[in-house]
Amino acid sequence: MSTLDTPTGTPDQPMLRIPKSSHPMPTSTTHGNRRIPVLAYVVVLLAVIGVLVAGSQTMGWFKTTGQMTSSSGEKVAPAAGAATSDIKGWMSIQQVLDAYPVTKEALYAHFGIPADTPTTTTLSELKEGAVGTLDVPTLRSWIDDGAPA
Amino acid sequence: MPTTFVPRRSPQSARQIRWSRHIVQTVVVAWIAWIVWSKAVAGPGSASAEAFCPFGGFETSLTWITTGATVAHVHTANLVLAGVIVVLALIGRGFFCGWLCPLGSIQEAIRGMAHAATNRAPWMRRAGRTISAHTPWWPRVDHILRYGRYVVLAWAIGGAAVTGVMVFREYDPWNALLSVAEFEISTAFVVLIAVVALSVFVDRPFCRYACPLGAVQGLIGKASPLAIQRNADACLGCNICNNACPMNIEVNQATRVTDTNCIGCLECVAACPSQDALALTVTFPTRLPIRTSDIETKEGALL
């Protein structure tokens, strides 16, 4: 470092000498500015996050899962006739069959699911286990396009 | 007569900045690790750590605005967090990247360890100097590669709107990091390994070249009144700030650091030996043509 401690400083406020060779780029501004303490910067911004997240939770907007649960905490599948956008990976094959106009045979045949796969298997398990070719967006499109009932 | 002596920044001030940030980063990484662990233990049904990724909200934004639905794997929490990011960027510029992003913190930790190892091994220092001497073209390449994150941003949001799925998810190292407990070798996992490997040599490689969330914040943060302000009258012209910046911003060339790459980490402020040369400031319009008397002094000195 090309700076020097000098005897002009005190132990409480040591000074640095700007080297004669130093030519820092000049600064220029037409705006006023005020220093922000680092602690205030951090605390205020963390508080902003806390307030916004807590506010959205209070309003019921902060959902971290697509699952719908009853007051007793049980998973609730979409009712019959619900929009296909309600199909989620956590749903079992049986819940899809119950809620949408599609037969088990047609579903299994279309997505190449082995016939012995239980209908309690969730869509996520099918996808993660690479059982057949089913994934949620494709299933939604297939039902929207008029899957055989 | 130009100022010859300037107050030295106290070591406590630098420590306070660094420790504040490292504590916040550690808490966030620990929180995310806890969510990943809970998910692994509780299985499907518990909240996925993905639900706390703000970029999911941006990815689904076009679909949500046009249809009211979200793309797969995105929930309203992602939309809320995307909104929080917009507010944070408007107020605090790159605060999320520099203080909260766990992926950024991990890259930084790896780079820090690599630095520490290099400092202890003279042959590594020599190798580093040799590589730098033989790659004069690197700054130019680095500059061009930085546009990559805007390309990723357009592809991720546009792709999600067109296909209805998160196209970036398959390549997202953040997603791979959240699924690390599943030991799945996916494309995203390979990207994560590449990011980790590059972090040994380059500061925050994903943030610099590919992070779409950083791109969003950089653009929105342009409207923020907060920024690092440099006072030329107290500046030693030592370049320590430039070397400390993990995003390689030329802090000592700026009056206000409004670069879209700034992540608000304040490393430049902590590293600066002069107490009054760099500070985090809020700016506001004023009728005065040039407010700072130190600028006049400096201009006088230059004349």
mmCIF file of all heavy atoms in Angstrom, chain A residues 62 64, chain B residues 23-41 46-54 78 81 96 99-106 173-181 213:
data_model
loop_
_atom_site.group_PDB
_atom_site.id
_atom_site.type_symbol
_atom_site.label_atom_id
_atom_site.label_comp_id
_atom_site.label_asym_id
_atom_site.label_seq_id
_atom_site.Cartn_x
_atom_site.Cartn_y
_atom_site.Cartn_z
ATOM 1 N N PHE A 62 -49.217 -16.105 0.773
ATOM 2 C CA PHE A 62 -47.900 -16.751 0.815
ATOM 3 C C PHE A 62 -48.066 -18.261 0.921
ATOM 4 O O PHE A 62 -47.963 -18.847 1.992
ATOM 5 C CB PHE A 62 -47.096 -16.207 1.994
ATOM 6 C CG PHE A 62 -45.613 -16.444 1.892
ATOM 7 C CD1 PHE A 62 -44.801 -15.564 1.193
ATOM 8 C CD2 PHE A 62 -45.022 -17.548 2.480
ATOM 9 C CE1 PHE A 62 -43.438 -15.776 1.092
ATOM 10 C CE2 PHE A 62 -43.662 -17.772 2.391
ATOM 11 C CZ PHE A 62 -42.863 -16.887 1.695
ATOM 12 N N THR A 64 -46.691 -21.938 0.030
ATOM 13 C CA THR A 64 -45.441 -22.578 -0.383
ATOM 14 C C THR A 64 -45.672 -23.958 -0.984
ATOM 15 O O THR A 64 -44.737 -24.677 -1.284
ATOM 16 C CB THR A 64 -44.493 -22.721 0.811
ATOM 17 O OG1 THR A 64 -45.177 -23.437 1.845
ATOM 18 C CG2 THR A 64 -44.045 -21.366 1.333
ATOM 19 N N ILE B 23 -22.619 -12.810 9.027
ATOM 20 C CA ILE B 23 -23.621 -13.385 9.944
ATOM 21 C C ILE B 23 -24.955 -13.560 9.220
ATOM 22 O O ILE B 23 -25.581 -14.613 9.283
ATOM 23 C CB ILE B 23 -23.776 -12.485 11.200
ATOM 24 C CG1 ILE B 23 -22.529 -12.622 12.079
ATOM 25 C CG2 ILE B 23 -25.026 -12.860 11.984
ATOM 26 C CD1 ILE B 23 -22.443 -11.612 13.210
ATOM 27 N N VAL B 24 -25.360 -12.508 8.475
ATOM 28 C CA VAL B 24 -26.626 -12.607 7.745
ATOM 29 C C VAL B 24 -26.557 -13.742 6.720
ATOM 30 O O VAL B 24 -27.482 -14.557 6.608
ATOM 31 C CB VAL B 24 -26.952 -11.256 7.038
ATOM 32 C CG1 VAL B 24 -28.162 -11.399 6.133
ATOM 33 C CG2 VAL B 24 -27.200 -10.163 8.062
ATOM 34 N N GLN B 25 -25.437 -13.825 5.994
ATOM 35 C CA GLN B 25 -25.292 -14.884 4.980
ATOM 36 C C GLN B 25 -25.367 -16.270 5.627
ATOM 37 O O GLN B 25 -26.025 -17.164 5.114
ATOM 38 C CB GLN B 25 -23.948 -14.737 4.267
ATOM 39 C CG GLN B 25 -23.903 -13.575 3.282
ATOM 40 C CD GLN B 25 -22.528 -13.447 2.650
ATOM 41 O OE1 GLN B 25 -21.507 -13.394 3.341
ATOM 42 N NE2 GLN B 25 -22.481 -13.386 1.332
ATOM 43 N N THR B 26 -24.696 -16.416 6.764
ATOM 44 C CA THR B 26 -24.678 -17.721 7.436
ATOM 45 C C THR B 26 -26.072 -18.113 7.900
ATOM 46 O O THR B 26 -26.488 -19.266 7.744
ATOM 47 C CB THR B 26 -23.714 -17.673 8.644
ATOM 48 O OG1 THR B 26 -22.440 -17.225 8.188
ATOM 49 C CG2 THR B 26 -23.556 -19.032 9.290
ATOM 50 N N VAL B 27 -26.799 -17.145 8.444
ATOM 51 C CA VAL B 27 -28.155 -17.438 8.917
ATOM 52 C C VAL B 27 -29.035 -17.888 7.748
ATOM 53 O O VAL B 27 -29.779 -18.872 7.850
ATOM 54 C CB VAL B 27 -28.765 -16.189 9.620
ATOM 55 C CG1 VAL B 27 -30.254 -16.368 9.859
ATOM 56 C CG2 VAL B 27 -28.041 -15.922 10.926
ATOM 57 N N VAL B 28 -28.911 -17.198 6.608
ATOM 58 C CA VAL B 28 -29.746 -17.557 5.453
ATOM 59 C C VAL B 28 -29.369 -18.945 4.921
ATOM 60 O O VAL B 28 -30.250 -19.771 4.643
ATOM 61 C CB VAL B 28 -29.616 -16.496 4.328
ATOM 62 C CG1 VAL B 28 -30.367 -16.936 3.080
ATOM 63 C CG2 VAL B 28 -30.154 -15.161 4.803
ATOM 64 N N VAL B 29 -28.091 -19.222 4.805
ATOM 65 C CA VAL B 29 -27.662 -20.537 4.313
ATOM 66 C C VAL B 29 -28.139 -21.630 5.274
ATOM 67 O O VAL B 29 -28.644 -22.675 4.849
ATOM 68 C CB VAL B 29 -26.123 -20.586 4.138
ATOM 69 C CG1 VAL B 29 -25.648 -22.012 3.895
ATOM 70 C CG2 VAL B 29 -25.685 -19.699 2.978
ATOM 71 N N ALA B 30 -28.034 -21.369 6.583
ATOM 72 C CA ALA B 30 -28.482 -22.352 7.568
ATOM 73 C C ALA B 30 -29.989 -22.577 7.471
ATOM 74 O O ALA B 30 -30.472 -23.708 7.561
ATOM 75 C CB ALA B 30 -28.110 -21.880 8.978
ATOM 76 N N TRP B 31 -30.730 -21.497 7.241
ATOM 77 C CA TRP B 31 -32.189 -21.605 7.118
ATOM 78 C C TRP B 31 -32.563 -22.459 5.904
ATOM 79 O O TRP B 31 -33.419 -23.341 5.984
ATOM 80 C CB TRP B 31 -32.792 -20.199 7.016
ATOM 81 C CG TRP B 31 -34.268 -20.163 6.786
ATOM 82 C CD1 TRP B 31 -35.240 -20.658 7.603
ATOM 83 C CD2 TRP B 31 -34.940 -19.610 5.647
ATOM 84 N NE1 TRP B 31 -36.472 -20.440 7.047
ATOM 85 C CE2 TRP B 31 -36.320 -19.803 5.854
ATOM 86 C CE3 TRP B 31 -34.509 -18.965 4.491
ATOM 87 C CZ2 TRP B 31 -37.270 -19.378 4.939
ATOM 88 C CZ3 TRP B 31 -35.462 -18.526 3.572
ATOM 89 C CH2 TRP B 31 -36.824 -18.738 3.801
ATOM 90 N N ILE B 32 -31.900 -22.200 4.784
ATOM 91 C CA ILE B 32 -32.181 -22.971 3.568
ATOM 92 C C ILE B 32 -31.785 -24.441 3.777
ATOM 93 O O ILE B 32 -32.515 -25.356 3.383
ATOM 94 C CB ILE B 32 -31.426 -22.372 2.359
ATOM 95 C CG1 ILE B 32 -31.987 -20.979 2.015
ATOM 96 C CG2 ILE B 32 -31.497 -23.294 1.140
ATOM 97 C CD1 ILE B 32 -33.408 -20.969 1.505
ATOM 98 N N ALA B 33 -30.652 -24.668 4.436
ATOM 99 C CA ALA B 33 -30.220 -26.044 4.706
ATOM 100 C C ALA B 33 -31.258 -26.756 5.571
ATOM 101 O O ALA B 33 -31.571 -27.930 5.350
ATOM 102 C CB ALA B 33 -28.860 -26.040 5.401
ATOM 103 N N TRP B 34 -31.820 -26.023 6.518
ATOM 104 C CA TRP B 34 -32.843 -26.605 7.386
ATOM 105 C C TRP B 34 -34.094 -26.974 6.576
ATOM 106 O O TRP B 34 -34.681 -28.042 6.768
ATOM 107 C CB TRP B 34 -33.190 -25.616 8.498
ATOM 108 C CG TRP B 34 -34.240 -26.125 9.433
ATOM 109 C CD1 TRP B 34 -34.084 -27.046 10.420
ATOM 110 C CD2 TRP B 34 -35.622 -25.763 9.439
ATOM 111 N NE1 TRP B 34 -35.276 -27.281 11.046
ATOM 112 C CE2 TRP B 34 -36.245 -26.511 10.474
ATOM 113 C CE3 TRP B 34 -36.397 -24.887 8.682
ATOM 114 C CZ2 TRP B 34 -37.598 -26.393 10.757
ATOM 115 C CZ3 TRP B 34 -37.749 -24.775 8.974
ATOM 116 C CH2 TRP B 34 -38.325 -25.513 9.994
ATOM 117 N N ILE B 35 -34.474 -26.094 5.636
ATOM 118 C CA ILE B 35 -35.656 -26.391 4.807
ATOM 119 C C ILE B 35 -35.395 -27.634 3.955
ATOM 120 O O ILE B 35 -36.243 -28.514 3.831
ATOM 121 C CB ILE B 35 -36.013 -25.185 3.900
ATOM 122 C CG1 ILE B 35 -36.496 -24.015 4.754
ATOM 123 C CG2 ILE B 35 -37.089 -25.567 2.898
ATOM 124 C CD1 ILE B 35 -36.699 -22.745 3.963
ATOM 125 N N VAL B 36 -34.195 -27.709 3.363
ATOM 126 C CA VAL B 36 -33.849 -28.863 2.528
ATOM 127 C C VAL B 36 -33.878 -30.136 3.381
ATOM 128 O O VAL B 36 -34.425 -31.161 2.971
ATOM 129 C CB VAL B 36 -32.452 -28.667 1.881
ATOM 130 C CG1 VAL B 36 -32.000 -29.935 1.180
ATOM 131 C CG2 VAL B 36 -32.483 -27.500 0.898
ATOM 132 N N TRP B 37 -33.330 -30.045 4.572
ATOM 133 C CA TRP B 37 -33.294 -31.206 5.461
ATOM 134 C C TRP B 37 -34.714 -31.604 5.872
ATOM 135 O O TRP B 37 -35.065 -32.779 5.865
ATOM 136 C CB TRP B 37 -32.444 -30.881 6.691
ATOM 137 C CG TRP B 37 -32.360 -32.012 7.659
ATOM 138 C CD1 TRP B 37 -31.536 -33.099 7.596
ATOM 139 C CD2 TRP B 37 -33.144 -32.179 8.854
ATOM 140 N NE1 TRP B 37 -31.756 -33.921 8.669
ATOM 141 C CE2 TRP B 37 -32.743 -33.382 9.458
ATOM 142 C CE3 TRP B 37 -34.138 -31.413 9.464
ATOM 143 C CZ2 TRP B 37 -33.301 -33.850 10.639
ATOM 144 C CZ3 TRP B 37 -34.701 -31.878 10.644
ATOM 145 C CH2 TRP B 37 -34.279 -33.072 11.219
ATOM 146 N N SER B 38 -35.543 -30.612 6.196
ATOM 147 C CA SER B 38 -36.929 -30.911 6.587
ATOM 148 C C SER B 38 -37.662 -31.609 5.461
ATOM 149 O O SER B 38 -38.412 -32.554 5.691
ATOM 150 C CB SER B 38 -37.703 -29.641 6.921
ATOM 151 O OG SER B 38 -36.976 -28.838 7.744
ATOM 152 N N LYS B 39 -37.423 -31.128 4.251
ATOM 153 C CA LYS B 39 -38.089 -31.711 3.086
ATOM 154 C C LYS B 39 -37.642 -33.160 2.907
ATOM 155 O O LYS B 39 -38.447 -34.043 2.617
ATOM 156 C CB LYS B 39 -37.739 -30.877 1.851
ATOM 157 C CG LYS B 39 -38.277 -31.396 0.531
ATOM 158 C CD LYS B 39 -39.733 -31.071 0.362
ATOM 159 C CE LYS B 39 -40.249 -31.549 -0.991
ATOM 160 N NZ LYS B 39 -41.694 -31.407 -1.085
ATOM 161 N N ALA B 40 -36.350 -33.391 3.107
ATOM 162 C CA ALA B 40 -35.819 -34.745 2.942
ATOM 163 C C ALA B 40 -36.404 -35.677 3.998
ATOM 164 O O ALA B 40 -36.690 -36.842 3.723
ATOM 165 C CB ALA B 40 -34.292 -34.726 3.031
ATOM 166 N N VAL B 41 -36.619 -35.159 5.197
ATOM 167 C CA VAL B 41 -37.145 -35.985 6.285
ATOM 168 C C VAL B 41 -38.661 -36.133 6.169
ATOM 169 O O VAL B 41 -39.199 -37.237 6.247
ATOM 170 C CB VAL B 41 -36.777 -35.355 7.654
ATOM 171 C CG1 VAL B 41 -37.503 -36.062 8.784
ATOM 172 C CG2 VAL B 41 -35.278 -35.436 7.856
ATOM 173 N N SER B 46 -44.315 -31.327 2.516
ATOM 174 C CA SER B 46 -43.746 -30.183 3.223
ATOM 175 C C SER B 46 -43.295 -29.159 2.180
ATOM 176 O O SER B 46 -43.121 -29.493 1.016
ATOM 177 C CB SER B 46 -42.569 -30.621 4.084
ATOM 178 O OG SER B 46 -41.575 -31.181 3.266
ATOM 179 N N ALA B 47 -43.106 -27.931 2.648
ATOM 180 C CA ALA B 47 -42.735 -26.874 1.711
ATOM 181 C C ALA B 47 -41.354 -27.159 1.125
ATOM 182 O O ALA B 47 -40.417 -27.493 1.849
ATOM 183 C CB ALA B 47 -42.732 -25.542 2.433
ATOM 184 N N SER B 48 -41.269 -27.046 -0.197
ATOM 185 C CA SER B 48 -39.976 -27.230 -0.856
ATOM 186 C C SER B 48 -39.183 -25.931 -0.752
ATOM 187 O O SER B 48 -39.752 -24.837 -0.758
ATOM 188 C CB SER B 48 -40.221 -27.568 -2.325
ATOM 189 O OG SER B 48 -39.064 -27.328 -3.072
ATOM 190 N N ALA B 49 -37.853 -26.071 -0.673
ATOM 191 C CA ALA B 49 -37.017 -24.869 -0.635
ATOM 192 C C ALA B 49 -37.197 -24.063 -1.917
ATOM 193 O O ALA B 49 -36.962 -22.858 -1.949
ATOM 194 C CB ALA B 49 -35.561 -25.261 -0.441
ATOM 195 N N GLU B 50 -37.620 -24.746 -2.975
ATOM 196 C CA GLU B 50 -37.890 -24.054 -4.245
ATOM 197 C C GLU B 50 -38.983 -22.998 -4.087
ATOM 198 O O GLU B 50 -39.006 -22.016 -4.812
ATOM 199 C CB GLU B 50 -38.359 -25.086 -5.275
ATOM 200 C CG GLU B 50 -37.412 -25.291 -6.413
ATOM 201 C CD GLU B 50 -37.996 -26.213 -7.454
ATOM 202 O OE1 GLU B 50 -38.695 -27.172 -7.093
ATOM 203 O OE2 GLU B 50 -37.734 -25.960 -8.628
ATOM 204 N N ALA B 51 -39.876 -23.257 -3.140
ATOM 205 C CA ALA B 51 -40.981 -22.321 -2.915
ATOM 206 C C ALA B 51 -40.476 -20.988 -2.373
ATOM 207 O O ALA B 51 -41.208 -20.010 -2.348
ATOM 208 C CB ALA B 51 -41.988 -22.922 -1.944
ATOM 209 N N PHE B 52 -39.225 -20.958 -1.938
ATOM 210 C CA PHE B 52 -38.654 -19.723 -1.397
ATOM 211 C C PHE B 52 -37.682 -19.069 -2.385
ATOM 212 O O PHE B 52 -36.892 -18.222 -1.998
ATOM 213 C CB PHE B 52 -37.960 -20.007 -0.059
ATOM 214 C CG PHE B 52 -38.893 -20.557 0.978
ATOM 215 C CD1 PHE B 52 -38.997 -21.921 1.192
ATOM 216 C CD2 PHE B 52 -39.716 -19.710 1.701
ATOM 217 C CE1 PHE B 52 -39.880 -22.442 2.128
ATOM 218 C CE2 PHE B 52 -40.605 -20.213 2.642
ATOM 219 C CZ PHE B 52 -40.686 -21.582 2.853
ATOM 220 N N CYS B 53 -37.735 -19.522 -3.643
ATOM 221 C CA CYS B 53 -36.864 -18.924 -4.668
ATOM 222 C C CYS B 53 -37.611 -17.782 -5.356
ATOM 223 O O CYS B 53 -38.620 -18.019 -6.024
ATOM 224 C CB CYS B 53 -36.441 -19.961 -5.702
ATOM 225 S SG CYS B 53 -35.472 -19.227 -7.034
ATOM 226 N N PRO B 54 -37.125 -16.561 -5.218
ATOM 227 C CA PRO B 54 -37.841 -15.427 -5.825
ATOM 228 C C PRO B 54 -37.886 -15.502 -7.349
ATOM 229 O O PRO B 54 -38.826 -15.003 -7.957
ATOM 230 C CB PRO B 54 -37.030 -14.207 -5.391
ATOM 231 C CG PRO B 54 -36.042 -14.689 -4.396
ATOM 232 C CD PRO B 54 -35.893 -16.150 -4.550
ATOM 233 N N ASN B 78 -43.640 -17.717 -4.285
ATOM 234 C CA ASN B 78 -42.610 -17.266 -5.227
ATOM 235 C C ASN B 78 -42.952 -15.882 -5.774
ATOM 236 O O ASN B 78 -42.069 -15.030 -5.945
ATOM 237 C CB ASN B 78 -42.459 -18.247 -6.387
ATOM 238 C CG ASN B 78 -42.066 -19.635 -5.930
ATOM 239 O OD1 ASN B 78 -42.929 -20.479 -5.739
ATOM 240 N ND2 ASN B 78 -40.781 -19.860 -5.717
ATOM 241 N N LEU B 81 -42.305 -13.328 -3.089
ATOM 242 C CA LEU B 81 -40.871 -13.078 -2.928
ATOM 243 C C LEU B 81 -40.299 -12.290 -4.113
ATOM 244 O O LEU B 81 -39.379 -11.492 -3.946
ATOM 245 C CB LEU B 81 -40.126 -14.401 -2.742
ATOM 246 C CG LEU B 81 -40.416 -15.085 -1.397
ATOM 247 C CD1 LEU B 81 -39.789 -16.462 -1.336
ATOM 248 C CD2 LEU B 81 -39.908 -14.236 -0.235
ATOM 249 N N PHE B 96 -30.039 -8.089 -1.961
ATOM 250 C CA PHE B 96 -30.340 -9.523 -1.913
ATOM 251 C C PHE B 96 -29.129 -10.342 -2.360
ATOM 252 O O PHE B 96 -28.760 -11.323 -1.712
ATOM 253 C CB PHE B 96 -31.551 -9.844 -2.805
ATOM 254 C CG PHE B 96 -31.858 -11.308 -2.864
ATOM 255 C CD1 PHE B 96 -32.620 -11.913 -1.877
ATOM 256 C CD2 PHE B 96 -31.362 -12.099 -3.894
ATOM 257 C CE1 PHE B 96 -32.876 -13.279 -1.916
ATOM 258 C CE2 PHE B 96 -31.613 -13.462 -3.931
ATOM 259 C CZ PHE B 96 -32.379 -14.046 -2.942
ATOM 260 N N TRP B 99 -26.110 -9.936 0.268
ATOM 261 C CA TRP B 99 -26.296 -10.258 1.690
ATOM 262 C C TRP B 99 -27.122 -11.512 1.915
ATOM 263 O O TRP B 99 -26.987 -12.147 2.953
ATOM 264 C CB TRP B 99 -26.977 -9.089 2.410
ATOM 265 C CG TRP B 99 -26.098 -7.891 2.571
ATOM 266 C CD1 TRP B 99 -25.671 -7.061 1.571
ATOM 267 C CD2 TRP B 99 -25.503 -7.409 3.776
ATOM 268 N NE1 TRP B 99 -24.866 -6.090 2.084
ATOM 269 C CE2 TRP B 99 -24.753 -6.271 3.443
ATOM 270 C CE3 TRP B 99 -25.557 -7.807 5.096
ATOM 271 C CZ2 TRP B 99 -24.040 -5.539 4.384
ATOM 272 C CZ3 TRP B 99 -24.856 -7.076 6.047
ATOM 273 C CH2 TRP B 99 -24.103 -5.953 5.689
ATOM 274 N N LEU B 100 -28.022 -11.835 0.987
ATOM 275 C CA LEU B 100 -28.969 -12.911 1.279
ATOM 276 C C LEU B 100 -28.831 -14.146 0.397
ATOM 277 O O LEU B 100 -29.100 -15.253 0.864
ATOM 278 C CB LEU B 100 -30.410 -12.375 1.159
ATOM 279 C CG LEU B 100 -30.777 -11.204 2.080
ATOM 280 C CD1 LEU B 100 -32.196 -10.750 1.798
ATOM 281 C CD2 LEU B 100 -30.638 -11.584 3.536
ATOM 282 N N CYS B 101 -28.461 -13.982 -0.860
ATOM 283 C CA CYS B 101 -28.505 -15.124 -1.791
ATOM 284 C C CYS B 101 -27.566 -16.250 -1.318
ATOM 285 O O CYS B 101 -26.353 -16.065 -1.252
ATOM 286 C CB CYS B 101 -28.133 -14.686 -3.200
ATOM 287 S SG CYS B 101 -28.118 -16.092 -4.341
ATOM 288 N N PRO B 102 -28.123 -17.422 -1.015
ATOM 289 C CA PRO B 102 -27.279 -18.515 -0.523
ATOM 290 C C PRO B 102 -26.285 -19.012 -1.574
ATOM 291 O O PRO B 102 -25.157 -19.383 -1.227
ATOM 292 C CB PRO B 102 -28.284 -19.613 -0.175
ATOM 293 C CG PRO B 102 -29.608 -18.961 -0.178
ATOM 294 C CD PRO B 102 -29.527 -17.784 -1.065
ATOM 295 N N LEU B 103 -26.710 -18.997 -2.844
ATOM 296 C CA LEU B 103 -25.791 -19.474 -3.886
ATOM 297 C C LEU B 103 -24.596 -18.527 -4.012
ATOM 298 O O LEU B 103 -23.451 -18.955 -4.175
ATOM 299 C CB LEU B 103 -26.531 -19.584 -5.227
ATOM 300 C CG LEU B 103 -25.786 -20.277 -6.356
ATOM 301 C CD1 LEU B 103 -25.375 -21.692 -5.972
ATOM 302 C CD2 LEU B 103 -26.639 -20.326 -7.625
ATOM 303 N N GLY B 104 -24.877 -17.238 -3.903
ATOM 304 C CA GLY B 104 -23.792 -16.256 -3.923
ATOM 305 C C GLY B 104 -22.871 -16.435 -2.726
ATOM 306 O O GLY B 104 -21.640 -16.374 -2.848
ATOM 307 N N SER B 105 -23.461 -16.705 -1.566
ATOM 308 C CA SER B 105 -22.656 -16.891 -0.352
ATOM 309 C C SER B 105 -21.752 -18.110 -0.492
ATOM 310 O O SER B 105 -20.585 -18.082 -0.073
ATOM 311 C CB SER B 105 -23.571 -17.085 0.864
ATOM 312 O OG SER B 105 -24.445 -16.007 0.991
ATOM 313 N N ILE B 106 -22.280 -19.171 -1.080
ATOM 314 C CA ILE B 106 -21.484 -20.397 -1.236
ATOM 315 C C ILE B 106 -20.328 -20.147 -2.213
ATOM 316 O O ILE B 106 -19.188 -20.560 -1.959
ATOM 317 C CB ILE B 106 -22.396 -21.551 -1.704
ATOM 318 C CG1 ILE B 106 -23.319 -21.950 -0.554
ATOM 319 C CG2 ILE B 106 -21.582 -22.750 -2.178
ATOM 320 C CD1 ILE B 106 -24.453 -22.856 -0.933
ATOM 321 N N PRO B 173 -28.554 -24.124 -11.093
ATOM 322 C CA PRO B 173 -27.726 -24.707 -10.029
ATOM 323 C C PRO B 173 -28.369 -24.585 -8.646
ATOM 324 O O PRO B 173 -28.112 -25.379 -7.760
ATOM 325 C CB PRO B 173 -26.425 -23.897 -10.103
ATOM 326 C CG PRO B 173 -26.769 -22.648 -10.809
ATOM 327 C CD PRO B 173 -27.905 -22.977 -11.723
ATOM 328 N N TRP B 174 -29.204 -23.569 -8.495
ATOM 329 C CA TRP B 174 -29.915 -23.386 -7.233
ATOM 330 C C TRP B 174 -30.854 -24.570 -7.006
ATOM 331 O O TRP B 174 -30.914 -25.133 -5.917
ATOM 332 C CB TRP B 174 -30.680 -22.065 -7.293
ATOM 333 C CG TRP B 174 -31.638 -21.812 -6.174
ATOM 334 C CD1 TRP B 174 -32.980 -21.581 -6.281
ATOM 335 C CD2 TRP B 174 -31.349 -21.739 -4.781
ATOM 336 N NE1 TRP B 174 -33.526 -21.383 -5.045
ATOM 337 C CE2 TRP B 174 -32.551 -21.478 -4.104
ATOM 338 C CE3 TRP B 174 -30.184 -21.890 -4.042
ATOM 339 C CZ2 TRP B 174 -32.630 -21.349 -2.732
ATOM 340 C CZ3 TRP B 174 -30.266 -21.767 -2.659
ATOM 341 C CH2 TRP B 174 -31.461 -21.497 -2.025
ATOM 342 N N ASN B 175 -31.554 -24.983 -8.061
ATOM 343 C CA ASN B 175 -32.444 -26.135 -7.982
ATOM 344 C C ASN B 175 -31.651 -27.394 -7.645
ATOM 345 O O ASN B 175 -32.077 -28.217 -6.833
ATOM 346 C CB ASN B 175 -33.179 -26.281 -9.320
ATOM 347 C CG ASN B 175 -34.118 -27.472 -9.333
ATOM 348 O OD1 ASN B 175 -34.748 -27.776 -8.328
ATOM 349 N ND2 ASN B 175 -34.185 -28.152 -10.450
ATOM 350 N N ALA B 176 -30.472 -27.523 -8.264
ATOM 351 C CA ALA B 176 -29.632 -28.694 -7.993
ATOM 352 C C ALA B 176 -29.161 -28.696 -6.544
ATOM 353 O O ALA B 176 -29.116 -29.739 -5.889
ATOM 354 C CB ALA B 176 -28.436 -28.695 -8.940
ATOM 355 N N LEU B 177 -28.860 -27.517 -6.052
ATOM 356 C CA LEU B 177 -28.384 -27.403 -4.672
ATOM 357 C C LEU B 177 -29.481 -27.824 -3.687
ATOM 358 O O LEU B 177 -29.226 -28.496 -2.693
ATOM 359 C CB LEU B 177 -27.968 -25.950 -4.405
ATOM 360 C CG LEU B 177 -27.131 -25.684 -3.169
ATOM 361 C CD1 LEU B 177 -25.789 -26.381 -3.277
ATOM 362 C CD2 LEU B 177 -26.907 -24.189 -3.008
ATOM 363 N N LEU B 178 -30.721 -27.456 -4.029
ATOM 364 C CA LEU B 178 -31.842 -27.806 -3.157
ATOM 365 C C LEU B 178 -32.143 -29.299 -3.218
ATOM 366 O O LEU B 178 -32.712 -29.863 -2.297
ATOM 367 C CB LEU B 178 -33.093 -27.012 -3.563
ATOM 368 C CG LEU B 178 -32.979 -25.496 -3.466
ATOM 369 C CD1 LEU B 178 -34.284 -24.837 -3.856
ATOM 370 C CD2 LEU B 178 -32.557 -25.067 -2.076
ATOM 371 N N SER B 179 -31.768 -29.929 -4.344
ATOM 372 C CA SER B 179 -32.048 -31.359 -4.506
ATOM 373 C C SER B 179 -30.823 -32.202 -4.200
ATOM 374 O O SER B 179 -30.791 -33.382 -4.527
ATOM 375 C CB SER B 179 -32.500 -31.628 -5.957
ATOM 376 O OG SER B 179 -33.443 -30.686 -6.357
ATOM 377 N N VAL B 180 -29.818 -31.581 -3.600
ATOM 378 C CA VAL B 180 -28.549 -32.279 -3.425
ATOM 379 C C VAL B 180 -28.716 -33.521 -2.532
ATOM 380 O O VAL B 180 -28.010 -34.520 -2.708
ATOM 381 C CB VAL B 180 -27.475 -31.298 -2.881
ATOM 382 C CG1 VAL B 180 -27.639 -31.032 -1.402
ATOM 383 C CG2 VAL B 180 -26.084 -31.771 -3.191
ATOM 384 N N ALA B 181 -29.711 -33.484 -1.644
ATOM 385 C CA ALA B 181 -29.936 -34.630 -0.758
ATOM 386 C C ALA B 181 -30.464 -35.843 -1.524
ATOM 387 O O ALA B 181 -30.407 -36.961 -1.039
ATOM 388 C CB ALA B 181 -30.912 -34.242 0.344
ATOM 389 N N LEU B 213 -31.719 -13.636 -11.873
ATOM 390 C CA LEU B 213 -32.266 -12.831 -10.770
ATOM 391 C C LEU B 213 -31.385 -11.598 -10.528
ATOM 392 O O LEU B 213 -31.884 -10.501 -10.273
ATOM 393 C CB LEU B 213 -32.351 -13.682 -9.494
ATOM 394 C CG LEU B 213 -33.067 -13.048 -8.308
ATOM 395 C CD1 LEU B 213 -34.488 -12.662 -8.670
ATOM 396 C CD2 LEU B 213 -33.056 -13.970 -7.112
#
